[in-house]
Amino acid sequence: MKNKGLGEFEELVLLAVCILDKEAYGLSVKREVEKHSGRSILLGAVHITLYRLQDKGLLRSEMGGNTEKRGDRRKRLFTITDAGMRQLRAAQDVRRKMWQLIPQLKLGL
Amino acid sequence: MKQRKNRPPILANWLASKFINEALLEELFGDLKEIYEDRIATKGKFYAKCMYWVDTFHLLIGFGSPQLFKNKPAIMYEHYLNIASRNLMKNKWYSLVNIGGLTVGMGVCLLIFQYTYFELSYDKFHDNFQNTYRIITDKTQNDVDDVFASTTYGIGPTGKETIHEIKEYVRMTPQFGGTIVTNPDKNESFSERNIFYVDTTFLQVFNFPLKLGSKESVFDGMYNIVITQKMAEKYFGAENPMGKPLNLSSKGEGLAVGNYIVSGVLEDLPINSHLQFDFLLSMENYMKLGWWGQIRERDNGWKKSRFVTYITLEESANLDLVHKKLNHLTALYRSEITARENIVEKVRLQPIADVHLKPESYMHSGYVTNYGNIKNVEFFLIIAFFILFIAWVNYINLSTARSMHRAKEVGIRKSIGAFRKQLISQFMMESILVNLTAALLAIGLAFSSLPILSGIIGKELELNILQIPMFWGWFSMVIIFGSLLSGLYPAFVLSSFKPISMLGANKTSRAGNTNLRRGLIVFQFLTSLLLISGTYLVHKQITFMKRQDLGLDIEKVMVFNGPERFLDRSTLEAFTTEVARHHSISGVAASGSLPGDGWSKWNLHKPGETITEGQFATPLGVSLNFPEVYDLEFLAGSSFVQSMSNEDYVVIINEEAVRTFGFGSPENAIRKTLIKPGKETEEYKIIGVVKNFHWLSLREPYGPCLFVLSVEGAGFSYFSFKTNLSDIQESLTHIEKTYKSFFPVDVFDYFFLEDEFNRQYQADLQFGNLFLAFAALAIFIACIGLFALVSFSATSRIKEIGIRKVLGASVNNLMMLLSSEYLMLISIAVVLAIPAILYWGKAWLENYAFRIDIEFDLFIIPALVLVLASIITVSYRTYATAKANPVDSLRKE
């Protein structure tokens, strides 16, 4: 479980959770990811990913504030765990290292 | 379609709550609701609803676990489901017939539901439709009852003032005749007919949303005009039409013409509105600029009934009381007029939701051109259910017939301890599976065949019933009912077998009750037969109506519209002479109406009689040579001559009028006169009598009518001429050129009279086509059922046939053996169908004054079609069985 790398979509979701900082729940994550990646995503995909990340121990969650707009239902707010942060950093490191290995000539493209 | 609140689909929530862990639900529903609200705000309700469903299903796939079966003996059900689906897969033919038949049946039902829903939805999109009424006037004069959907000018405002239950009123009257509308910026003109004058409250009483402009102020200026989106595009293209000028011009007299400013643009009107218009003008203009301004001054607006009045009542209003008060009001203001003309008059309120579907035989239709008919809707609903029933019958027949094949399975289940109840639920499960699969496919089928239905009925339908929770309730009811109906009997039959007789060597038990099966087959064929006969009857009647000699020659007659202005005698004559100069045009006649439209009535009486003895006849204003162009056949007297003028008041009447006014014979009628009450100085002199002719469709009986000579006037809406078809282009160019030189601002438009006349049969044709579609489906479903049934009986008798063949039976013999039973059943159906066809055929034909007789071919031809179809079905299968080599069938054991 631990050392499995992050999927691309998982990484986006994790990043969105970090950006949103305590305001991350299904719909806000969906909007955030859509905003940055420019593609449209199904709500269900976000939910499923959030729960999978929680199962992997990269996220934790608690029930939070309700609003009129939601029909008085509470949100589940997600925050990133230390393990999650480590994974993100690791992913970032891998990329940076690999980028550095690309021969200079080709970078000009 | 308007719902009280923007609630997300309840059914989706219910579904989700069944399959998704409760702990997750609060959060998921919250998110769903939030995004739903967002989507409604940005992309509209329909999109939001659809996406809600998509999202729900997606969540179901992601988080769902079937809780439905969790705390029940799930293994058992899963097992049943397994067996059921394996059985369906194994007998592919059988499953195809069952599911296919049910799919078609349910698909048709869905479409008809949609059609019914659409027809019932007319005018229900108005917020206050439950309290909005149209005022109807019932008049009885000289023992003739007429219904008018129109009222006087006065009843609306006076009613609002004096009757406190009336909250608001709106009057409406159209601009009569064509109007030329010009966009001066582009210099483009079109001839328009759908222009309404309305009170300024129109947009408050009715919910026609404005795209541009505000509800309260669109009629503020005297020369304001409100147009629909369609017209905005037609005249202004992509430009913003607000504040732009539009010029209206018309036949000079009586109408509010002038330079208008666009003050509002309406969204395109919903098609389920009985009010269909393109332009709205303020009623004020009609009064100030138009002819009818005099109305108000003269009689306070209580004389002429040219307005349609809609009112909204207080919610708490007592309808009877309002009726009484309105009638009191009418009596107060109109008693003098009604007494003078010997009219008994009553007004009543018609809910606007009834306007479309419950039309009456209006003398004045309230400017609505296209009424629906609740009877047709009910009728189609019944037929749809019959088709569905035929499909269910297929299922019952096939599963009982097949019971022999499953006897072993049932025997084993019973001997290892299955209860009967369990067996029944197993077979029920199969029927539910089949019905459910069919239902899902049916939705797809309905979607894909909706354009066909729209094409037949000529209205663009959407499958919007799928958005209504109520519909899903009904639809699941249908599925449950169908599953029970088609599953219960086979389930009981199959589970009743004794294990010993099924597993033993001699399987003696006969499969199911064959009498019931026979009865059901007879029922199927009876239904199909009735549908075929119906189709045949409708088409025969329509053909008859189209071929019938009208007594008027409308073949090769072309018509173009008259100019929108007053024509004096010299202009009219110069124009017609110029038009007729072309060699292919033999004569030009002008008239106020054409065969196929207009049927107003005058009350006329003979000199010396009083108004109470008067009779009604239809006046038709025509020019000098109208009788020649239309080839009217004179029985007595002669046609109009050049020396006559409007002031001579000469008329030509028809036979029916001779009878109505009691002249005795055509010869006697010549030189007699008729008087129109109130205009005693104008005595109409009869100079000729023509044979009866069909001015309207053959639905209507001959009516008394009189051609009134008119050599000048503003009422020449149409010019008819006869042409030989070879030079049509050339003659049209000639006419258009002449037209343009005489009337440069008018728009030239032409059509063939015969096409226009036959348009009256449009509704009948639609009815016939729908009937045809239904009949074809019914036969199709019944035949595939028959095919499957014959196949099963052939396979189960394969040994018997083998032995018979060995003993010397010929192929013909064997085919007779296999199919004679079914042929007999069809004969029974034919015999049973005859009285039903006679009864309903007669009842339907009663609608037509001129109709075909019910002849022998009405029974023979449909029966032949049916017999042929079933023989083809049956013999295809029996031939193969009878041809088979007996060795093959006897060797197997």
Side-chain angles (χ1 to χ4, degrees):
Chain A
M1 203 72 152
K2 270 279 152 70
N3 279 332
K4 285 241 175 82
L6 285 170
E8 191 242 2
F9 188 63
E10 285 176 335
E11 193 178 336
L12 287 179
V13 168
L14 264 184
L15 284 167
V17 170
C18 294
I19 295 170
L20 287 164
D21 187 33
K22 304 213 173 81
E23 270 307 314
Y25 66 103
L27 202 56
S28 66
V29 172
K30 170 179 144 61
R31 287 200 193 109
E32 198 64 30
V33 175
E34 276 178 344
K35 192 170 98 193
H36 293 289
S37 69
R39 57 189 177 191
S40 88
I41 299 155
L42 278 175
L43 183 63
V46 176
H47 277 292
I48 291 163
T49 313
L50 284 172
Y51 278 101
R52 193 167 54 231
L53 291 172
Q54 184 174 315
D55 288 345
K56 286 185 184 176
L58 307 181
L59 289 177
R60 65 167 165 264
S61 68
E62 58 194 10
M63 296 305 276
N66 53 349
T67 57
E68 177 80 7
K69 215 178 168 190
R70 300 171 59 84
D72 274 344
R73 296 184 184 97
R74 280 177 299 156
K75 302 166 182 170
R76 181 175 290 277
L77 296 173
F78 288 87
T79 40
I80 195 156
T81 60
D82 294 343
M85 213 61 207
R86 270 201 302 281
Q87 281 266 3
L88 264 184
R89 288 238 166 77
Q92 176 80 348
D93 281 346
V94 169
R95 296 203 178 176
R96 208 181 47 240
K97 276 180 200 151
M98 287 177 78
W99 269 104
Q100 285 169 350
L101 295 179
I102 299 175
Q104 289 291 316
L105 271 177
K106 285 193 180 161
L107 269 178
L109 284 175
Chain B
M1 260 156 289
K2 189 114 188 163
Q3 262 172 301
R4 281 154 296 133
K5 270 186 201 164
N6 284 336
R7 270 201 308 199
I10 304 168
L11 197 79
N13 281 356
W14 174 82
L15 203 65
S17 68
K18 281 287 150 200
F19 288 97
I20 296 175
N21 194 337
E22 239 173 86
L24 298 173
L25 277 181
E26 179 171 7
E27 177 211 355
L28 297 183
F29 280 161
D31 281 2
L32 279 174
K33 165 99 179 149
E34 199 176 334
I35 197 168
Y36 177 73
E37 297 283 333
D38 278 4
R39 279 175 178 147
I40 283 189
T42 53
K43 298 227 174 137
K45 192 145 157 202
F46 181 70
Y47 177 82
K49 279 230 158 100
C50 285
M51 284 313 288
Y52 196 94
W53 276 97
V54 171
D55 280 338
T56 312
F57 272 112
H58 195 215
L59 287 172
L60 274 179
I61 295 165
F63 295 97
S65 58
Q67 294 193 333
L68 267 185
F69 304 126
K70 259 205 174 141
N71 38 12
K72 286 174 192 158
I75 297 178
M76 207 61 196
Y77 284 101
E78 259 182 70
H79 170 73
Y80 289 163
L81 213 58
N82 255 334
I83 297 286
S85 49
R86 276 181 207 158
N87 251 314
L88 287 181
M89 295 305 271
K90 191 174 146 206
N91 303 294
K92 289 205 178 63
W93 258 109
Y94 158 84
S95 319
L96 200 71
V97 168
N98 270 336
I99 296 179
L102 279 172
T103 304
V104 174
M106 287 184 187
V108 169
C109 263
L110 265 179
L111 287 180
I112 295 302
F113 278 169
Q114 175 61 59
Y115 171 65
T116 311
Y117 177 75
F118 169 75
E119 289 283 312
L120 290 177
S121 73
Y122 261 77
D123 297 305
K124 290 192 181 149
F125 58 90
H126 301 302
D127 273 345
N128 204 8
F129 78 89
Q130 273 147 330
N131 300 313
T132 309
Y133 299 86
R134 181 168 78 168
I135 301 182
I136 299 280
T137 316
D138 290 317
K139 284 186 192 173
T140 309
Q141 186 176 23
N142 300 353
D143 291 329
V144 182
D145 297 326
D146 280 318
V147 187
F148 290 75
S150 60
T151 64
T152 54
Y153 180 76
I155 196 166
T158 319
K160 193 190 167 190
E161 268 168 42
T162 52
I163 303 173
H164 69 89
E165 285 97 335
I166 299 180
K167 271 206 311 210
E168 202 47 270
Y169 72 92
V170 177
R171 285 161 305 178
M172 184 274 281
T173 192
Q175 173 102 298
F176 287 96
T179 304
I180 297 166
V181 179
T182 315
N183 175 1
D185 295 345
K186 287 190 182 170
N187 213 7
E188 269 181 346
S189 300
F190 298 94
S191 178
E192 299 288 356
R193 295 196 163 265
N194 289 319
I195 303 177
F196 283 1
Y197 294 98
V198 294
D199 282 304
T200 49
T201 46
F202 187 79
L203 293 179
Q204 273 133 46
V205 171
F206 298 115
N207 283 67
F208 295 112
L210 275 167
K211 207 171 164 215
L212 300 167
S214 90
K215 212 153 76 170
E216 287 74 26
S217 64
V218 281
F219 292 118
D220 276 1
M222 168 98 174
Y223 280 100
N224 279 3
I225 185 168
V226 176
I227 62 178
T228 57
Q229 173 64 20
K230 205 168 70 196
M231 289 302 120
E233 275 157 28
K234 183 169 167 186
Y235 285 92
F236 301 101
E239 292 170 49
N240 180 2
M242 291 294 282
K244 294 259 166 62
L246 271 185
N247 177 275
L248 269 61
S249 66
S250 184
K251 286 183 193 175
E253 277 185 77
L255 299 168
V257 296
N259 293 312
Y260 284 81
I261 300 286
V262 177
S263 63
V265 179
L266 290 168
E267 302 270 2
D268 279 330
L269 306 184
I271 48 173
N272 53 356
S273 159
H274 79 273
L275 288 165
Q276 294 291 344
F277 53 87
D278 295 323
F279 300 89
L280 292 179
L281 301 175
S282 158
M283 188 63 83
E284 265 318 287
N285 293 24
Y286 193 46
M287 288 301 136
K288 283 196 185 133
L289 309 170
W291 243 345
W292 300 99
Q294 335 161 10
I295 293 173
R296 195 162 38 178
E297 275 84 69
R298 206 172 48 206
D299 311 284
N300 263 331
W302 282 92
K303 193 169 176 209
K304 292 274 182 187
S305 303
R306 274 176 197 269
F307 301 88
V308 186
T309 307
Y310 299 89
I311 57 170
T312 49
L313 297 183
E314 299 282 352
E315 222 150 291
S316 55
N318 177 345
L319 215 55
D320 284 336
L321 201 64
V322 179
H323 275 148
K324 270 199 199 114
K325 287 181 180 175
L326 277 172
N327 274 315
H328 180 73
L329 206 64
T330 317
L332 201 66
Y333 286 93
R334 275 179 65 82
S335 53
E336 205 179 307
I337 301 165
T338 49
R340 191 169 67 222
E341 293 185 17
N342 194 30
I343 301 173
V344 181
E345 198 178 75
K346 281 230 137 33
V347 296
R348 67 190 147 92
L349 299 177
Q350 179 186 41
I352 54 162
D354 286 353
V355 169
H356 176 71
L357 266 193
K358 295 182 187 158
E360 301 165 46
S361 48
Y362 298 119
M363 189 59 219
H364 185 298
S365 67
Y367 312 116
V368 177
T369 49
N370 198 355
Y371 282 110
N373 186 342
I374 186 108
K375 271 200 194 128
N376 283 0
V377 173
E378 282 168 357
F379 179 74
F380 285 131
L381 214 53
I382 293 172
I383 289 190
F385 270 112
F386 267 108
I387 291 180
L388 187 55
F389 201 75
I390 292 180
W392 282 331
V393 165
N394 272 352
Y395 184 85
I396 301 177
N397 279 346
L398 288 177
S399 24
T400 49
R402 267 176 73 255
S403 57
M404 283 311 289
H405 294 246
R406 310 217 27 199
K408 263 203 184 111
E409 181 193 334
V410 174
I412 290 172
R413 280 179 190 281
K414 277 199 164 179
S415 21
I416 57 175
F419 294 115
R420 187 161 181 208
K421 224 170 83 189
Q422 286 173 319
L423 281 170
I424 290 176
S425 59
Q426 182 203 341
F427 289 115
M428 284 309 298
M429 192 77 142
E430 278 181 30
S431 116
I432 290 170
L433 190 69
V434 168
N435 273 284
L436 213 59
T437 318
L440 289 179
L441 290 174
I443 293 177
L445 183 75
F447 258 113
S448 54
S449 52
L450 198 65
I452 303 174
L453 180 71
S454 300
I456 294 179
I457 65 166
K459 285 172 191 159
E460 213 44 59
L461 293 182
E462 271 180 72
L463 209 57
N464 51 18
I465 41 171
L466 297 185
Q467 296 164 34
I468 311 162
M470 261 298 278
F471 160 76
W472 289 99
W474 277 101
F475 198 51
S476 14
M477 289 264 284
V478 167
I479 296 170
I480 292 168
F481 176 74
S483 310
L484 286 177
L485 185 77
S486 54
L488 267 182
Y489 179 72
F492 273 94
V493 170
L494 284 167
S495 61
S496 70
F497 293 155
K498 300 233 156 33
I500 189 72
S501 63
M502 293 186 202
L503 297 171
N506 51 341
K507 297 179 224 162
T508 43
S509 75
R510 281 285 286 152
N513 183 345
T514 40
N515 275 338
L516 178 93
R517 201 148 77 219
R518 285 193 188 124
L520 289 172
I521 294 176
V522 170
F523 166 81
Q524 283 187 319
F525 281 103
L526 185 64
T527 315
S528 318
L529 202 58
L530 290 180
L531 287 172
I532 309 173
S533 308
T535 313
Y536 184 63
L537 183 68
V538 173
H539 282 267
K540 210 174 152 196
Q541 171 69 17
I542 293 173
T543 321
F544 164 78
M545 291 195 288
K546 282 189 174 169
R547 297 239 174 98
Q548 182 75 343
D549 180 23
L550 296 177
L552 284 168
D553 190 10
I554 61 166
E555 219 185 319
K556 294 187 189 167
V557 170
M558 286 202 70
V559 176
F560 59 91
N561 59 316
E564 309 289 348
R565 69 180 62 197
F566 180 88
L567 286 179
D568 57 40
R569 185 165 189 160
S570 58
T571 320
L572 179 68
E573 271 170 14
F575 175 64
T576 47
T577 328
E578 185 59 39
V579 168
R581 189 158 289 169
H582 194 267
H583 64 89
S584 68
I585 296 168
S586 44
V588 187
S591 56
S593 60
L594 284 177
D597 77 18
W599 199 246
S600 67
K601 285 183 192 171
W602 279 356
N603 186 3
L604 295 166
H605 61 86
K606 292 195 274 192
E609 287 178 346
T610 62
I611 185 165
T612 51
E613 290 160 282
Q615 300 288 344
F616 290 97
T618 300
L620 301 162
V622 299
S623 71
L624 278 169
N625 49 353
F626 187 89
E628 284 70 50
V629 172
Y630 281 92
D631 265 342
L632 292 170
E633 195 180 321
F634 280 85
L635 295 173
S638 56
S639 184
F640 303 121
V641 290
Q642 187 66 32
S643 58
M644 295 169 172
S645 72
N646 284 16
E647 287 69 34
D648 291 330
Y649 299 111
V650 285
V651 295
I652 296 173
I653 62 173
N654 66 350
E655 274 178 279
E656 188 60 28
V658 172
R659 204 186 55 76
T660 313
F661 291 103
F663 290 124
S665 71
E667 286 75 21
N668 270 341
I670 305 298
R671 276 186 292 279
K672 294 273 165 38
T673 55
L674 290 170
I675 294 167
K676 196 176 165 200
K679 293 190 173 171
E680 271 72 14
T681 51
E682 306 172 2
E683 282 193 15
Y684 290 95
K685 295 177 221 32
I686 299 165
I687 59 156
V689 176
V690 292
K691 261 184 92 168
N692 276 337
F693 50 85
H694 295 280
W695 188 260
L696 292 179
S697 87
L698 274 72
R699 229 172 225 280
E700 314 295 334
Y702 291 126
C705 62
L706 49 155
F707 290 109
V708 184
L709 178 67
S710 171
V711 292
E712 56 186 2
F716 296 118
S717 308
Y718 303 104
F719 284 80
S720 325
F721 64 94
K722 217 171 252 173
T723 171
N724 53 347
L725 297 172
S726 54
D727 289 331
I728 195 127
Q729 266 317 323
E730 213 184 309
S731 52
L732 276 175
T733 332
H734 164 73
I735 294 171
E736 186 162 6
K737 218 170 70 198
T738 318
Y739 193 88
K740 280 283 164 225
S741 69
F742 274 81
F743 318 112
V745 290
D746 288 280
V747 183
F748 180 73
D749 193 17
Y750 63 90
F751 52 88
F752 277 100
L753 183 54
E754 207 174 0
D755 298 344
E756 196 63 21
F757 190 81
N758 285 340
R759 198 161 291 173
Q760 296 179 90
Y761 302 128
Q762 194 81 10
D764 297 301
L765 264 176
Q766 278 175 14
F767 186 72
N769 287 342
L770 268 184
F771 227 131
L772 179 67
F774 282 141
L777 287 175
I779 300 175
F780 172 71
I781 301 178
C783 278
I784 57 172
L786 186 67
F787 177 77
L789 206 53
V790 173
S791 306
F792 278 115
S793 81
T795 25
S796 55
R797 291 172 82 175
I798 199 150
K799 282 228 167 74
E800 177 194 339
I801 288 161
I803 293 169
R804 279 176 192 272
K805 216 170 174 189
V806 170
L807 293 178
S810 68
V811 172
N812 284 346
N813 272 338
L814 291 173
M815 277 179 70
M816 270 317 282
L817 177 80
L818 283 168
S819 42
S820 61
E821 187 190 348
Y822 301 105
L823 292 181
M824 202 191 69
L825 293 179
I826 292 171
S827 323
I828 294 175
V830 172
V831 173
L832 286 178
I834 291 176
I837 298 172
L838 267 177
Y839 177 75
W840 278 310
K842 257 214 166 73
W844 182 74
L845 285 174
E846 293 284 305
N847 292 329
Y848 297 85
F850 297 88
R851 52 187 178 244
I852 50 170
D853 297 319
I854 292 188
E855 281 164 5
F856 215 51
D857 61 337
L858 191 61
F859 313 115
I860 296 297
I861 291 181
L864 276 180
V865 170
L866 186 70
V867 169
L868 210 66
S870 43
I871 284 181
I872 292 171
T873 317
V874 171
S875 58
Y876 173 77
R877 187 63 217 198
T878 49
Y879 183 71
T881 319
K883 261 313 269 292
N885 190 345
V887 176
D888 294 332
S889 56
L890 289 176
R891 195 170 48 193
K892 276 189 272 172
E893 178 64 330

